[in-house]
Amino acid sequence: WANEIVHHPILVSAVKEALGNDNILCWSTDLNVKVAGSPGLYTWHQDSTYAGLEPAEKVLTAWVALSDSTVESGCLKFLPGSHHSQLPHEEIPTQKNLLSLGQVIPKEYIEPYMDGCESGELNAGEFSLHSFRCVHSS
């Protein structure tokens, strides 16, 4: 089923258009599960921090909602304009942080972007694309 999602013609077409290239590769497929009512969260981070893929502006994240994702259920939040540079991250593991290394961008680096914070609500079956360096959380 994951293979069918990754190769869905609408998703593939959108990724090609966003990257401006017909030569694309899916290098990773992950399930990010947040149980309803759980305290789990994904702290503010950039996907580019640990992947080692370059150039970062030629990489993106496609997020496919397998169930409805609303503000109330903890949908993705994005900080527009934060994708222009790689920001420093710290590793502060906690039981609530669902990121494997507890990575988080220190507050002073994300404060300039917080006024523009956007929620990315999606219905099941919809997807969003974001820059590999776009700061996001959920």
Side-chain angles (χ1 to χ4, degrees):
W1 62 265
N3 186 52
E4 289 177 22
I5 292 172
V6 167
H7 291 95
H8 194 284
I10 295 173
L11 179 60
V12 170
S13 177
V15 170
K16 286 179 178 181
E17 183 177 339
L19 292 176
N21 195 330
D22 284 341
N23 187 16
I24 62 171
L25 169 71
C26 174
W27 70 278
S28 174
T29 302
D30 304 309
L31 287 177
N32 294 310
V33 178
K34 286 175 58 179
V35 178
S38 74
L41 58 91
Y42 291 90
T43 51
W44 291 109
H45 69 282
Q46 294 169 299
D47 293 337
S48 55
T49 305
Y50 296 95
L53 299 175
E54 295 287 337
E57 60 274 4
K58 295 291 184 183
V59 183
L60 59 73
T61 297
W63 191 85
V64 180
L66 300 180
S67 61
D68 291 347
S69 181
T70 64
V71 170
E72 294 79 19
S73 67
C75 68
L76 279 175
K77 297 178 288 186
F78 302 96
L79 298 182
S82 62
H83 64 287
H84 295 293
S85 63
Q86 180 63 45
L87 300 176
H89 287 63
E90 295 176 356
E91 294 177 6
I92 307 172
T94 66
Q95 287 187 334
K96 290 182 181 181
N97 191 347
L98 298 172
L99 293 171
S100 61
L101 299 174
Q103 53 268 50
V104 60
I105 299 172
K107 192 179 217 176
E108 64 267 23
Y109 294 102
I110 60 171
E111 280 180 345
Y113 303 103
M114 291 303 292
D115 285 343
C117 183
E118 303 241 352
S119 295
E121 293 186 294
L122 295 175
N123 293 316
E126 294 181 326
F127 64 88
S128 67
L129 305 177
H130 64 268
S131 166
F132 208 42
R133 283 196 288 209
C134 179
V135 175
H136 59 287
S137 72
S138 72

